[in-house]
Structures are given as C-alpha cells and as structure tokens.
Amino acid sequence: MKDLFEAQWLGGTVPLKNRIVMPPLTRTRTSDGDVPNELMATYYAQRASAGLIVTEAADVNPHSNGYAMTPGIYTDAQREGWRLVTDEVHRNNGTIFLQLWHVGRMAHSSLMPNGEAPWGVTEQRAEHSTVFAHDADGKLALIPAGTPRRIATDEVSALVDSFSQAIANARQAGFDGVELHGANGYMFEQFMNSVLNTRTDRYGGGTVEDRTRFLMEVVEAAVAEFGPGRVGVRLSPLGRFNSMPADPLAEETLLYVAEQLDRRGVAYMHLVYELMPEGNMETAEFKSRFVDHALLARIRAAFSGAIIWCGGFNDSTNAQAALDTGLVDLIAFGRPYIANPDLAERLKHGWPIAEADRSTYYTRRGELGYTDFPSYQMRTSGYSTV
C-alpha cells in the first residue's frame, strides 16, 4: 500500500521525500528579459517540502512565448536566474524539475520577435481561447490568440534543436530533471491531435508515429542530456483546453505515447484531466472524479515509470484514495500550493488549508500573494514572512 507521505525513488535515481508534487503554476513574476530572479528563488524554496517541484513552464526560444512575463531558458541571463532558484531549493533539501514548453498557436504577434505571426502546426487559430499579451493600446490583457503561421518541416527540426539547447541549459542551471509540457493544447499536443494536425510531412497527422515524432525526438534529446529517470512528460488525455478539437484517435495516441515513453526510459507521466475547452488556466476546472479508470489502467499497463495524477486534489483524504487505486504513484496539488508553502506539512498534520486571492495569481506586485504566505506554524506563533 502506497502512503502519501512516504519517501521513495523517482526513476530509480531521484530521491523524493514524499509522494506530493507541486505542479507547474504560472505566476508572471520574472524580471525584464523573462529572467528568473531572487523573488522566484524564495517562492520555490518556501515550497521545498514537496517531494517534487515542477516549475512553471519555461520558453525554449523567443517564438515560444505565448504569455507575457513567463520565464525563458534560452539566454545566459535566464540560465543564471534559474540557478538562483535551484540553489535555494537544494539548500532547503528540495527536488526540482524544469518544465519546458513551446506554446505553438497559443500566442499573439505582440509577443513574437519583430511582431511575427505565432508558430503553428497549421494555420488554424485557437478560435475561442485567450493569451496574456499586449492589446491594441499596448496594455497587457487577456486577448484572443493570434492566427498562426504553419511552420516548415526544417523549422520543426530546428525547434527540436531549440529544445535540446534548453535542456542542456536546464542541466547547467542545476535542475534535477526536466518535464516536457505535452498537455493543455500547446505545441506538442497540437502535433499529436489527429484532427488539428493536417500536415503531410514526416510530422503530419496521418499516422500515430508521425504525429508523435516531434515529442519523441525531444524526449530522446532530454534523456540523452539528463539520463534515464530524470525526464517527465505532462499529458492531458482527451483534453479540449485551448480550443483543441475532439480527437477520435486520442486513446490510441495516448497508449502509443505511453509505450514509447517507457521504451525511452522516461521517469514519469504527469496526467492532468481537464474538462473545459475554452477560457484560460485561471478559470479552468479540473475534476479527478471524471477520470476513466479503465483507461488509466491501460496506461499503467503500458508504462512502467511513475504516474503523477493531477486534477482537483485538495486534501490528504482524496489524495490517498487516488493512491489506493494502485494506478498512480504521485499526487499533484496545484492551487493549494499558492497560499500554502508548507502544504506537505499541513496535509500530514491535518492543519487548515489557506486560500489565495485570485487577483494576485498574475501580477507585478512582487511578493504580494506570492511569497508573503506564512507557514501554519509561523501563523499560529504570530510570526510573519515579511
């Protein structure tokens, strides 16, 4: 029987102090140039009691940026900024992976180099979805995603190289591993969706091998850089978020991906089950009770690494119940980690879970709603973090 609070090894190489995961949470607190900073280092270090921290998504090149003030990992300054983060997390005995993404069509020309069109698998726009970019008056706001440009075959191969360099930068910045963001309607999933991907080249949607080729090439680059057991992949089975079309081949693709990731020595699959096809991440709702356990069992049979389950968990009872199914190994708590830096201790001891003010999720107001949440013990002792 798995216990939420027991220590174990991830991928046979990475020690975790418990089965609790802090998943990626975009917070838009970077410095100019999308550079991670000391404030971010404090934020992640405060949460180092999680078994595993997976950072907010980092851009792999300038065309990857779909949301203002999200961090990158493609410049020297960004790499050194992330080094501040990993040093602080490790100083607090934490384990941290960097999530890497390319948003693909989920972008706007106001954030692209020289005002170019976003990069897309095809020219199909995400008709009902928004991005955090500059509006017509130059102000940051949630605005409709732009119309993408279909990137050429050689540009896809070049993008694999961008990921490879970003992965190398992540290792140099001191990360314990990397997670590839293949969920929520971003570039990897855009390629994998058989309805959206109408390409006819070697990355096209005609066969499962072709539409997953881009992901597998990047996975191979990540495993080559970090070694087996230090690479994860996040997926959203049957997801419709960010205007993704319903895909009749979704289960076939998912099970194929699980088998291929297993063959390549991937440490974990991070499964997020989401329902809403529209809106943004602040309004999306994630409900684990809707998970198809039969499908999860088929994934479990195909993949021998760890499975992280992310979807509406907010206390130790429902998290332990998920572990008790025997289908998953680690539980991710998303929003509870915003206002509870000591979430692992609160869950273990049954202490109250605080709630954050949503208006501070994405802001430039520094520590407000970011690093100013005290631990439960500090709160009850009358201390403050500021």
Side-chain angles (χ1 to χ4, degrees), residues 15-18 44-53 85-96 176:
L16 305 183
K17 64 187 71 174
N18 52 55
Y44 282 110
Q46 288 174 339
R47 290 151 178 81
S49 60
L52 173 66
I53 294 173
V85 173
T86 60
D87 283 350
E88 281 301 305
V89 170
H90 292 152
R91 193 171 290 118
N92 285 271
N93 300 312
T95 299
I96 186 167
D176 299 298

Side-chain angles (χ1 to χ4, degrees), residues 28 44 58 61 84 114 139 228 273 290 316 318 325 330 352:
T28 64
Y44 282 110
N61 66 24
L84 297 175
N114 304 312
K139 296 180 181 179
Y273 288 85
F290 287 96
S316 58
N318 56 27
T325 66
L330 303 164

Side-chain angles (χ1 to χ4, degrees), residues 67-128:
Y67 301 87
M69 300 180 294
T70 54
I73 186 63
Y74 55 88
T75 71
D76 291 344
Q78 291 165 353
R79 185 183 66 240
E80 292 309 308
W82 279 120
R83 170 61 78 172
L84 297 175
V85 173
T86 60
D87 283 350
E88 281 301 305
V89 170
H90 292 152
R91 193 171 290 118
N92 285 271
N93 300 312
T95 299
I96 186 167
F97 278 35
L98 178 67
Q99 190 188 68
L100 299 170
W101 72 351
H102 191 294
V103 300
R105 67 177 185 165
M106 288 306 304
H108 188 268
S109 60
S110 66
L111 296 178
M112 296 291 101
N114 304 312
E116 300 171 15
W119 287 9
V121 175
T122 68
E123 297 88 357
Q124 178 63 48
R125 188 168 71 89
E127 297 286 349
H128 305 292

Side-chain angles (χ1 to χ4, degrees), residues 248-307:
L249 301 181
E251 289 192 23
E252 172 193 329
T253 302
L254 176 62
L255 293 171
Y256 175 82
V257 167
E259 293 171 355
Q260 295 302 311
L261 296 182
D262 191 61
R263 292 180 182 180
R264 288 165 171 80
V266 165
Y268 68 81
M269 293 176 65
H270 186 172
L271 303 181
V272 54
Y273 288 85
E274 41 88 357
L275 302 176
M276 295 181 62
E278 302 178 5
N280 56 63
M281 291 306 291
E282 184 176 351
T283 59
E285 293 295 334
F286 299 89
K287 303 294 183 182
S288 59
R289 66 178 180 273
F290 287 96
V291 172
D292 182 341
H293 282 225
L295 176 59
L296 192 55
R298 295 175 69 191
I299 298 170
R300 173 78 286 171
F303 182 72
S304 61
I307 294 178

